[in-house]
DNA sequence: CCTACCGATCGGTAGG
DNA sequence: CCTACCGATCGGTAGG
């Protein structure tokens, strides 16, 4: 009795969630069928509904799980006692690491959220917008500080977040550099582009 | 007799192609139905098939139209007699302008190409890979020249192309800066990140 | 967790 | 360009 406790949750529902993230990432939400998912999980399609409410509910759980994690991290970084530039670097490193290590759910949250349905769709969009504003505020603080060159902070956020979401194509490449080397290259270019 | 000749082609087929690009961009290829498209065009779904072969053929035409345009531009820039850094800047400006002006088809080509079917899928993937290699070669030449700082050129290409494809969210923003201002901001940050 | 099945919607065709 | 319609597949439910 008593399973071994780890940081991962291997309940049936969590297995389904993880497989769904991989499937949605590969095929796109709409093109992925519940029969596809059932086959991967190893049950009949109807059986999935003992663990989940609907296909859209799976997307919901993936998207908000990721959003919560990112909001949490941003809050932690905001309260750090350090320069703006090093806060931004921390945040970028977090984004890059998440994209390297948990890229399936991060990718789905990033690219498939438009298939969410109301009221979750609006909720999610609002969270995204808020996150970007807080990120831009960090950049603006750095510009005021004279740590960062005078740039449009909204554009800078757009560039950095999308550059990172492009790590997906790094995953697909055959002769790829290591995750750590990728992180260092990205930081050099992105943070280098901000510095005075 | 004789229609007025302009650079735009308003044939029935081209109208369908343009509406399809907008629809695929908004809903995603899979979620967009031919009945949706027919309604936008103003005919019955069956009538579309007098102008096109299949839904997938529409995606094909959009993706390869964009690919051809980009390959053409890259070839022109490669033969220019100028510094590597200014070649890269020209290419980036072209990418940004295309994303601002023709963003529907560019976006579809960028995000929905995985729904192409063989042999077009492999053909398209190969073209993408080749394009990125040629772009990376321009950066490597600049590093050798000492125009550009020593960075991983593959990562730099990944960053720049994805940063630009993120202009999609600029289109959705309400209080947006002008296309020209966006271009200048992006060039400042991206090219600034390369310079020694 | 499975079998059996539902109504809806899909891409596409026949025939005019 | 339309009406009428096809077979396939979809998300999901009933009942055990």
């Amino acid at each position: 009795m008593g399973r071994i406790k780890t940081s991962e949750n291997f309940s049936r529902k969590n297995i389904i969630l993880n497989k769904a993230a991989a499937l949605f990432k590969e095929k796109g939400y709409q093109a992925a069928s519940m029969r596809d998912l059932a086959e991967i999980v190893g049950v009949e399609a109807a059986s999935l509904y003992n663990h989940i409410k609907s296909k859209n509910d799976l997307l919901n759980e993936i998207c908000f799980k990721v959003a919560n994690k990112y909001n949490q991290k941003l809050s932690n970084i905001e309260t750090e006692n350090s320069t703006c530039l090093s806060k931004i670097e921390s945040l970028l490193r977090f984004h890059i690491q998440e994209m390297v290590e948990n890229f399936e759910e991060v990718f789905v949250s990033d690219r498939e959220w438009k298939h969410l349905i109301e009221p979750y769709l609006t909720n999610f969009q609002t969270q995204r917008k808020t996150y970007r504003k807080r990120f831009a505020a960090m950049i603006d603080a750095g510009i005021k500080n004279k740590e960062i060159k005078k740039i449009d902070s909204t554009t800078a956020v757009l560039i950095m977040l999308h550059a990172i979401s492009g790590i997906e194509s790094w995953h697909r490449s055959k002769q790829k550099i290591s995750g750590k080397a990728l992180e260092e290259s990205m930081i050099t270019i992105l943070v280098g582009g901000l510095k005075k």
Side-chain angles (χ1 to χ4, degrees), chain A residues 59-132:
Chain A
L59 183 61
N60 242 305
E61 296 221 34
I62 294 166
C63 290
F64 284 96
K65 178 186 166 190
V66 172
N68 290 338
K69 200 177 193 177
Y70 277 70
N71 283 328
Q72 184 72 48
K73 184 71 182 181
L74 179 56
S75 295
N76 289 344
I77 289 176
E78 280 171 340
T79 63
E80 268 177 21
N81 186 16
S82 60
T83 62
C84 295
L85 217 43
S86 82
K87 283 181 187 177
I88 291 166
E89 185 172 325
S90 293
L91 190 58
L92 291 180
R93 284 187 189 275
F94 172 71
H95 273 261
I96 295 165
Q97 285 159 13
E98 283 295 312
M99 198 66 191
V100 168
E101 288 158 24
N102 304 313
F103 81 112
E104 279 147 348
E105 57 192 33
V106 173
F107 183 83
V108 168
S109 168
D110 228 54
R111 298 283 249 271
E112 303 294 325
W113 61 264
K114 66 178 148 194
H115 295 109
L116 291 171
I117 53 181
E118 298 293 0
Y120 305 102
L121 178 59
T122 296
N123 182 334
F124 190 84
Q125 284 174 307
T126 305
Q127 285 198 41
R128 259 171 94 89
K129 216 173 291 176
T130 305
Y131 189 91
R132 285 168 188 217

Side-chain angles (χ1 to χ4, degrees), chain A residues 142-155:
Chain A
I143 294 172
K144 219 173 164 185
N145 263 358
K146 299 183 195 302
E147 287 177 50
I148 294 176
K149 54 174 140 161
K150 257 194 145 180
I151 48 168
D152 181 64
S153 60
T154 305
T155 304

Side-chain angles (χ1 to χ4, degrees), chain A residues 70 73 77 85-102 160 163-168 170-171 176-193 195:
Chain A
Y70 277 70
K73 184 71 182 181
I77 289 176
L85 217 43
S86 82
K87 283 181 187 177
I88 291 166
E89 185 172 325
S90 293
L91 190 58
L92 291 180
R93 284 187 189 275
F94 172 71
H95 273 261
I96 295 165
Q97 285 159 13
E98 283 295 312
M99 198 66 191
V100 168
E101 288 158 24
N102 304 313
M160 293 192 285
I164 288 162
S165 86
I167 293 177
E168 183 251 347
W170 167 83
H171 273 289
K176 57 183 167 194
I177 60 175
S178 76
K180 200 62 201 161
L182 178 74
E183 185 180 328
E184 295 310 324
S185 286
M186 294 200 85
I187 291 293
T188 302
I189 298 172
L190 291 176
V191 178
K195 273 184 193 148

Side-chain angles (χ1 to χ4, degrees), chain A residues 20-61:
Chain A
L23 184 65
F24 292 169
K25 193 242 143 213
E26 196 196 309
K27 292 197 159 193
Y29 175 75
Q30 279 278 348
S33 77
M34 296 304 275
R35 284 160 177 84
D36 290 336
L37 179 57
E39 196 184 340
I40 292 167
V41 175
V43 294
E44 292 299 316
S47 304
L48 293 171
Y49 292 88
N50 292 307
H51 302 97
I52 60 160
K53 277 181 287 191
S54 66
K55 183 185 179 185
N56 203 261
D57 188 52
L58 280 172
L59 183 61
N60 242 305
E61 296 221 34

